[in-house]
Each structure stands twice: as C-alpha cells, then as structure tokens.
Amino acid sequence: MNTSIDTPIPNRIRAKRAPRPGTWIAAVIVALFSVWLIAFAAGNEVFEWNVVGTYLFDVKVIKGVGWTLLLTLVSMVIGTVIALTAAIMRLSSNPVLRGVSWAYIFVFRGVPVYTQLVFWGLITVIVPKIVIGVPFGPELVSFSTREYFTAFWAATVALGLNEGAYLAEIMRAGLTSVERGQSEAAKSLGMKNSLILRRIVIPQAMRVIIPPLGNETIGMLKTTSLVLAVPFTLDLTYASNSIANLLFKPVPMLIVAALWYLAVTSVLMVGQYYIERYFGRGFDDRPAARPGSRASRQASVNASGTTPKDPLPEVEL
C-alpha cells in the first residue's frame, strides 16, 4: 500500500522556536554603535584621513613594516629554539639541567622586557671586548662587541631570550600532554629517546603548542614597538613617530601604524588557523567534505552499506 508523503500525520506537534528578543536587541545596539563610530571617525578633523592615505604606503613606513616583521621572525626563532631546549631540560631526570632551566625561566620571566632591552642595548659598554685564550695566559682571539653586536642583534637577542622563558612553559605543557604510554610503546620497539621525541612526542604536542604559540607571535609583533630602548630606530613604531614629529601630526601617524599592525596581525591569525587545523587532524571535528572530493566519495560508499564493517572474514579453526 502506497501512502502519499503529503498525508497529514494525526496529532502531530508543530513546535515553534522560542522567541529570542535579546539577539535582536543586541544586534540593534551593535548596529547603532557601529554607525556612530563610523560617523565619529569620518567627521572628526583630528584624524586627517588625507594624511593617513598619503603616508600609509610611504617608503619609510614600508621599510619599518619590513624591519618589524624581521625582528618578529628572528626573535621567535631564537625564542622557540631556546624554549624547546629549556622545556626538555625541565623534564629531564638530571637535577642540574632542571635547575638551570628553572633559573633561566625565573630570571627572564621576572624582569620586564623593557629593562632587558635596555640592558642588551648597553652590552657593548658592559662587555666591550670578547677575548678567547689561555686562562691567565696569552690572548688567542679577541674582537670588539661594538663591531659585531649591532642594535638589531641586541634587540633580537633580548626579545628572543625573553620570549623563550614564556614559551618554555608552553612547550613543557605540550610535551606532557602526550600520553606516556606512546613513548613506552616506542621504546619497546627499540626507538631511541631522541627519535621518540622527534617522531612521536613533538608532532602530537604541536596540537597543544600551536594556539598559544600563535598568540605569543602576535604579542611579539607588538612588543617590537619597544626596541627603541636598545636603541633600534628602523621599526614601524619609530618610523611613524619620526614622520609624526616632522609633520606635527601624531594622530594620523598613529592610525597609520595601527592599520599596519592590524593588517599583519590578520595575516598571522589566518596562518595560525590553518596550522592549527593541520596539526589538529584526527582530534578536531572536521568540516563536511566538498562534493566530488575523495573524502565525500568515501563517505558515500560507507553510507551505502555495501562494504562489510569487519574487512577480515571470520575463520573457523
């Protein structure tokens, strides 16, 4: 007997979605505030948007963006390497290594980054010359720190050492998030500790490490605005401030710097999203596959029920 799909179901309950006036009220408030903010920004003469448009792509500003990105990249590389080393030392069974790692984290997390930048900016005064030779004997090699330790390297070393102290705890949390049983299983297969760390522990720990590491990278981008303490005078903040002092227009140049920081931060956030999605494979909920892709075809085959759940047939002994 065929029944039409249009046949009404007796005693059917037609539920209605509960009204949510709070959503509409919040949307109206946000819309009104956005309109007011746009009108305020467009009508305020202090912002001088013509000056912002003129100097947004100024050569000095673009160079400042490049130097800021280079400072961020080099500092994060130094900090990541130091942090991974310190985290492994914290997890070591050697009490000396644990003590050294703890002391490093304690000092560089406890001293403000601005103070560290000033200190490393004066390192050529504190240590004017490095000498390699026989103790209490003749000098073999010596060189002046002023010739090789420039303001750029002083800034990157200071930022890298400071960042490494914070990332060390993040790295340690990521390494300890991997179940110990996997390392024990790898040892039973004859794998060395270094190979276990490189092939099993670190790839899985990256799922935990990447989100805070991305936040620290964005924070490092903004922390580079303090390198004037070294002094390093080529970054974005100093470039925009120097133009502002020349034109006596601080507000438009602050907007120029803010727009560039927002643009770079947006790119970093997009990159962080894709890196998180890559290392989160198998853990996070995956979005539905695109029609026609290999994943969607396999999902269609599984849904058809034509393949056995147990691919190995039972064998009677």
Side-chain angles (χ1 to χ4, degrees):
M1 180 177 180
N2 296 328
T3 59
S4 174
I5 59 175
D6 297 329
T7 302
I9 300 175
N11 300 325
R12 181 176 183 178
I13 299 175
R14 298 186 179 276
K16 295 182 179 181
R17 188 182 300 272
R20 296 182 178 180
T23 302
W24 292 101
I25 294 174
V28 171
I29 294 175
V30 171
L32 292 176
F33 178 77
S34 301
V35 171
W36 172 83
L37 187 62
I38 294 173
F40 171 77
N44 197 322
E45 297 179 356
V46 178
F47 291 148
E48 299 186 70
W49 294 104
N50 58 331
V51 178
V52 174
T54 301
Y55 289 94
L56 185 61
F57 297 99
D58 185 77
V59 175
K60 194 171 184 178
V61 173
I62 297 298
K63 288 182 178 180
V65 174
W67 280 107
T68 297
L69 291 175
L70 184 60
L71 281 169
T72 303
L73 175 63
V74 178
S75 300
M76 287 304 299
V77 170
I78 295 174
T80 302
V81 173
I82 294 175
L84 182 59
T85 305
I88 295 174
M89 292 170 64
R90 283 291 303 273
L91 299 174
S92 173
S93 59
N94 190 327
V96 177
L97 296 180
R98 293 201 307 269
V100 171
S101 176
W102 180 87
Y104 159 72
I105 295 173
F106 172 77
V107 171
F108 284 90
R109 282 205 310 179
V111 179
V113 61
Y114 188 85
T115 304
Q116 296 181 43
L117 287 167
V118 174
F119 176 84
W120 284 99
L122 297 174
I123 195 67
T124 56
V125 178
I126 300 172
V127 186
K129 185 172 66 173
I130 296 178
V131 178
I132 301 175
V134 180
F136 306 103
E139 299 180 1
L140 300 179
V141 179
S142 64
F143 56 90
S144 174
T145 55
R146 191 180 298 273
E147 296 179 3
Y148 299 96
F149 203 74
T150 61
F152 172 80
W153 288 113
T156 53
V157 169
L159 294 175
L161 288 173
N162 178 78
E163 188 62 34
Y166 288 92
L167 285 179
E169 293 300 288
I170 295 174
M171 296 285 185
R172 184 173 66 89
L175 295 177
T176 55
S177 67
V178 181
E179 295 181 0
R180 185 178 299 178
Q182 300 195 35
S183 299
E184 295 175 353
K187 288 181 180 179
S188 66
L189 296 176
M191 299 179 66
K192 297 181 180 179
N193 291 332
S194 59
L195 185 61
I196 294 173
L197 184 67
R198 188 173 66 253
R199 298 293 298 275
I200 295 177
V201 177
I202 292 181
Q204 297 184 71
M206 292 300 290
R207 181 178 64 90
V208 179
I209 293 173
I210 287 299
L213 180 62
N215 292 336
E216 290 294 326
T217 303
I218 294 174
M220 175 62 70
L221 175 71
K222 295 178 289 186
T223 306
T224 56
S225 60
L226 301 176
V227 294
L228 180 61
V230 173
F232 183 78
T233 58
L234 296 174
D235 66 297
L236 174 59
T237 298
Y238 187 87
S240 60
N241 286 342
S242 62
I243 298 175
N245 295 333
L246 184 64
L247 300 175
F248 297 102
K249 297 182 181 297
V251 176
M253 296 312 301
L254 285 175
I255 295 176
V256 169
L259 290 176
W260 274 111
Y261 280 119
L262 286 173
V264 177
T265 301
S266 301
V267 174
L268 293 177
M269 291 177 64
V270 172
Q272 177 184 346
Y273 167 77
Y274 283 104
I275 295 175
E276 285 184 20
R277 193 172 70 169
Y278 174 79
F279 284 103
R281 293 174 301 175
F283 294 93
D284 302 331
D285 294 334
R286 307 297 296 166
R290 295 189 304 271
S293 63
R294 181 179 298 178
S296 65
R297 292 195 298 269
Q298 184 61 43
S300 301
V301 172
N302 296 337
S304 64
T306 56
T307 56
K309 294 183 179 180
D310 188 1
L312 299 177
E314 296 182 358
V315 179
E316 296 183 358
L317 298 177

